[in-house]
Amino acid sequence: MSFEHLASKAPREQSLERTLPLFIMGMLLLVIGAAFVVTGRELLRSARIAAAERLRNVTRELAASAESSAQQHARTVRGAARDPVIRRALAGDSVAPAELDSALHRIVPAGDSAVAIGLWRAGGAAVSRRVLVVQEGAPEQRGGVMPTPGDSARYGPLYLDDGRVYYWVVAPVGTGAHPAGWIAERRRLTVTAGAVRQINALVGRDVGVYFRNDTGSLWATLSGAPARPSESDGHLDGIPLRRRRDRPTMGPLLLAEAPIRGTPWTLALELPVGTATTGARATLARLAMVNLVLLLVAAVAAWALSRRLTRPLVQLTHAAAEIARGAFTPIHERWAARGDEVGRLAAGFNRMASEVAASRAALEQQVKEAQTLGDELERANAELQESTLRAEHARVAAEEANRAKSEFLAMMSHELRTPLNAIAGYTELLQLGIHGPLTTAQHEDLERIRHSQRTLLTLIDDVLNYARIEAGRVEYAVSEIPLDETLAGMEALIAPQARVKGITYEHRPAGAAVRVWADRRKLEQIVLNLLSNAVKFTGRGGRITVDGTATGDHVLVRVTDTGCGIAPDKLESIFEPFTQAEAGLTRTSGGTGLGLAICREFARAMGGDVYVERSAEPGGSTFAVRLLARAPREGGAIAAASAPDRASDGGWHAPRPR
Ligand code: ADP
């Protein structure tokens, strides 16, 4: 599996040591900044609301104050209207001008802002023009003051005359529904320097104080100069704002107005919003300083904290990189000794590093051993290949030798059989008396020749058969055959030999139903060989028994004799080819030592076996042939319908002479 795709997508390398303080600072900046902005907005808003409220209160106070001074002056004018000199003047009585002036001047003390004062009869004609300024016309025509019956003095609206702002104060002279006339005073709008100082002290220098008619028709400053009215400039926090075109630098203004009762005027106070929030802004500036200091302290703390957090991580990263390069450097004990999570992580890392180091060392050792083992295996493999090669050569050589042996045996058998058959033929001719009658001695000699010829032929057949078995050239025609019938056929073959030695032969039938899965010829050869051996190794007067037993899937054929028996250490070796129990020149019986080997080969090839079941010295032996009772379910060593048995050509038809 390849991890290259992961490597190519590896994130850009970043240092937590640098980014963490920046991140903490950023967060702090965000939080403190947001808190500052929210606080600032709230502070300014509160300051504006408080200033607006204060402005309203001050405006009401000033309006009340203006109202009281207006009332006071109205009382003065009314007092003058009751003056007997003035009444007489309006009644048409003769009044000395000096006397009238003196009466009128009581209304207007020295330094007053009144610029004219006059008397009018009810008909509108001026009585006196000798007062301060001669006035023409009715007072209402000059100041717009409508005279009212009764005893009260009235204030007229502000009006502009020659660049200055004036107003009239008018009071009736006389009582009742028809006064005798009016006393009217034309006054210039002005506030004394002392009053201005008081106002400034009350509202501050930045506040604009204006008088205006209730109708809004004219605006005037405290000093009596006409002024432009301010314009609406929207709302802020629900407070209506104004703006002055003539003083744009003042910015938005807070406006508070209060009517001056007893007059048709309204007092208007305008306070720049900037001035209203001066205190709040100063507080904000201090707060900003505090925040800055806090931020600096927090920055240092964040740097220290992140360093404390990230240093061990940096160490861990370096140590991990070292491990990747194969060097196992533990993290400094200072970090590992810390009791917190970082300390535990460092301690765990050190443990892991030492374990990895130990595992790596062990692994390296194992790799070395594996390499050594691999070298040895390679050597062994080379040796094995060499041996295999040698074995192959040996096998080829053995096969070659075997083939040569088989060829030799075939040739030998052929070469020996021909003269042996010739011997048999000629012997038979002599025995038949074709060349003249024979004496008894000649008959006996010819019989010995015949016996020797048969023995030789049997020997040759044994050798040839075994050679065929070894070469794998034996074929089997297996089928289910009746056991008793096969064994019964043996008696005719073995009985003559048994009779010669006075041996009793007995066949105990297994039952007609018992069948066996075998090649009939091969089975006959096996049983005949066992019987021949039994006759050969059983003494005169002995006994030979053949019986068959069905045991489930198998059938056992036993050949029991009362002969010499076999030594226990020879019980297996007698099945080896060319092996006999009686070895060497001391043996009393003939034979090649091939019979049992051939029997076992045949039996095994048919799915069974041949073995010695019992043997006693003396006491005789029991040889057993185990065979299958029926055809194997599948596969097996034998083909049920094989070719005709060519092995039978080897002369197994007759019992071998002994
Ligand atoms: P051969 O009989 O030609 O020597 P076998 O292979 O048939 O060869 O027998 C091998 C040997 O087994 C015999 O030489 C003999 O020593 C021993 N043997 C076989 N059958 C018997 C038997 N029934 N009793 C005693 N010994 C036996």
Side-chain angles (χ1 to χ4, degrees):
M1 183 178 174
S2 166
F3 291 97
E4 278 170 21
H5 65 291
L6 291 179
S8 65
K9 284 182 189 167
R12 195 159 53 83
E13 202 166 279
Q14 289 178 338
S15 168
L16 201 60
E17 196 180 14
R18 282 194 296 275
T19 52
L20 192 61
L22 285 178
F23 177 73
I24 294 175
M25 275 304 295
M27 291 304 288
L28 279 172
L29 203 63
L30 206 68
V31 170
I32 291 179
F36 181 74
V37 168
V38 170
T39 311
R41 284 171 69 94
E42 196 52 36
L43 214 57
L44 290 172
R45 184 172 157 272
S46 306
R48 279 192 297 271
I49 291 172
E53 180 63 27
R54 206 168 55 246
L55 196 66
R56 272 195 295 278
N57 292 338
V58 169
T59 308
R60 276 197 292 273
E61 277 176 38
L62 282 178
S65 166
E67 182 188 327
S68 80
S69 58
Q71 282 174 358
Q72 194 180 350
H73 187 69
R75 273 195 298 277
T76 308
V77 175
R78 254 194 342 266
R82 290 192 200 105
D83 194 297
V85 177
I86 291 173
R87 282 170 179 261
R88 278 204 321 271
L90 280 176
D93 298 344
S94 118
V95 177
E99 199 180 5
L100 185 60
D101 278 355
S102 155
L104 289 175
H105 271 98
R106 274 200 291 278
I107 307 172
V108 187
D112 193 274
S113 59
V115 291
I117 191 161
L119 295 173
W120 278 265
R121 285 212 182 83
V127 175
S128 169
R129 296 188 176 203
R130 296 170 59 199
V131 289
L132 301 175
V133 174
V134 176
Q135 296 297 322
E136 298 292 339
E140 63 271 22
Q141 291 171 329
R142 303 296 299 176
V145 181
M146 293 301 293
T148 54
D151 195 24
S152 60
R154 284 185 63 108
Y155 278 74
L158 303 172
Y159 68 94
L160 193 63
D161 185 19
D162 200 18
R164 303 287 305 183
V165 177
Y166 299 90
Y167 62 93
W168 286 90
V169 183
V170 179
V173 178
T175 53
H178 305 288
W182 289 272
I183 180 168
E185 183 189 22
R186 185 189 184 222
R187 296 179 69 85
R188 203 177 70 208
L189 183 70
T190 183
V191 178
T192 60
V196 170
R197 270 200 302 280
Q198 278 180 357
I199 290 171
N200 282 344
L202 195 61
V203 299
R205 289 188 172 279
D206 292 334
V207 178
V209 183
Y210 300 93
F211 291 100
R212 67 169 173 83
N213 287 322
D214 287 344
T215 58
S217 58
L218 181 68
W219 283 64
T221 62
L222 273 186
S223 57
R228 288 171 72 103
S230 59
E231 297 164 4
S232 174
D233 192 24
H235 286 73
L236 184 62
D237 300 328
I239 306 168
L241 295 180
R242 313 285 294 181
R243 180 173 292 278
R244 286 208 155 272
R245 284 204 184 169
D246 51 341
R247 298 173 73 184
T249 52
M250 292 178 80
L253 304 162
L254 296 172
L255 172 70
E257 293 177 312
I260 303 169
R261 282 179 296 176
T263 71
W265 312 335
T266 295
L267 183 70
L269 263 64
E270 287 176 349
L271 174 67
V273 173
T275 307
T277 54
T278 305
R281 281 187 284 116
T283 307
L284 275 179
R286 281 197 298 279
L287 195 64
M289 284 305 295
V290 170
N291 281 347
L292 200 65
V293 171
L294 267 179
L295 209 59
L296 282 174
V297 171
V300 173
W303 177 80
L305 178 72
S306 78
R307 196 176 154 78
R308 185 174 162 75
L309 279 176
T310 55
R311 286 307 287 175
L313 292 179
V314 171
Q315 286 267 324
L316 268 174
T317 313
H318 287 160
E322 289 291 301
I323 286 180
R325 278 199 291 276
F328 297 90
T329 322
I331 296 176
H332 199 285
E333 268 309 308
R334 180 158 59 96
W335 303 114
R338 274 168 55 165
D340 56 9
E341 285 81 355
V342 172
R344 285 200 291 280
L345 179 66
F349 182 87
N350 279 353
R351 269 200 306 281
M352 186 269 293
S354 68
E355 277 168 22
V356 169
S359 303
R360 188 187 165 109
L363 204 63
E364 280 174 355
Q365 181 62 29
Q366 281 173 5
V367 168
K368 259 188 217 157
E369 285 171 12
Q371 273 172 352
T372 316
L373 209 62
D375 291 347
E376 281 173 15
L377 266 176
E378 216 168 299
R379 270 201 302 282
N381 195 30
E383 281 169 17
L384 189 68
Q385 279 179 352
E386 209 173 309
S387 312
T388 310
L389 213 61
R390 278 204 298 273
E392 183 63 18
H393 286 152
R395 189 184 63 77
V396 171
E399 273 180 7
E400 184 59 29
N402 209 30
R403 197 179 54 77
K405 182 187 80 181
S406 295
E407 279 176 9
F408 166 73
L409 288 174
M411 188 191 73
M412 181 203 77
S413 126
H414 179 73
E415 293 303 321
L416 289 178
R417 270 166 162 280
T418 311
L420 279 174
N421 285 335
I423 289 171
Y426 283 114
T427 309
E428 234 172 272
L429 288 178
L430 288 174
Q431 281 178 327
L432 288 172
I434 288 177
H435 296 295
L438 299 176
T439 62
T440 312
Q442 284 173 329
H443 261 297
E444 285 174 358
D445 285 346
L446 281 175
E447 190 51 41
R448 283 190 196 100
I449 290 168
R450 185 97 167 104
H451 178 77
S452 297
Q453 181 267 336
R454 283 191 189 126
T455 305
L456 262 178
L457 203 58
T458 307
L459 283 174
I460 288 164
D461 284 343
D462 276 358
V463 170
L464 201 60
N465 276 332
Y466 193 73
R468 278 182 177 148
I469 289 171
E470 269 201 323
R473 280 167 36 207
V474 179
E475 292 182 19
Y476 298 82
V478 283
S479 61
E480 276 187 21
I481 52 172
L483 181 65
D484 280 346
E485 190 189 311
T486 311
L487 293 182
M490 294 293 106
E491 188 170 356
L493 298 173
I494 203 68
Q497 295 178 47
R499 243 193 329 274
V500 170
K501 288 184 82 173
I503 293 170
T504 312
Y505 176 80
E506 186 187 359
H507 169 216
R508 292 179 189 160
V514 179
R515 298 175 77 82
V516 65
W517 176 255
D519 179 323
R520 190 179 196 126
R521 284 281 190 63
K522 301 292 187 296
L523 179 59
E524 284 174 354
Q525 285 174 24
I526 293 168
V527 176
L528 192 58
N529 189 63
L530 294 179
L531 286 173
S532 297
N533 278 349
V535 171
K536 190 159 57 169
F537 295 104
T538 301
R540 188 164 290 280
R543 185 181 186 81
I544 294 172
T545 314
V546 180
D547 68 273
T549 318
T551 55
D553 290 342
H554 293 96
V555 171
L556 274 185
V557 177
R558 289 195 195 82
V559 176
T560 306
D561 64 55
T562 55
C564 61
I566 305 155
D569 61 323
K570 298 283 188 332
L571 289 179
E572 254 321 296
S573 63
I574 54 173
F575 289 95
E576 298 293 325
F578 305 107
T579 305
Q580 294 175 318
E582 276 182 289
L585 299 171
T586 57
R587 64 196 171 106
T588 51
S589 315
T592 54
L594 282 172
L596 287 178
I598 292 170
C599 286
R600 181 167 265 183
E601 288 292 338
F602 282 173
R604 286 183 175 174
M606 293 189 292
D609 204 357
V610 175
Y611 51 92
V612 179
E613 193 179 82
R614 175 196 69 87
S615 182
E617 284 181 305
S621 326
T622 299
F623 280 77
V625 186
R626 194 186 66 228
L627 291 164
L628 295 174
R630 60 193 66 87
R633 282 209 187 98
E634 58 182 53
I638 306 148
S642 56
D645 185 10
R646 281 176 303 201
S648 58
D649 299 346
W652 281 87
H653 305 288
R656 293 180 296 169
R658 297 290 171 183

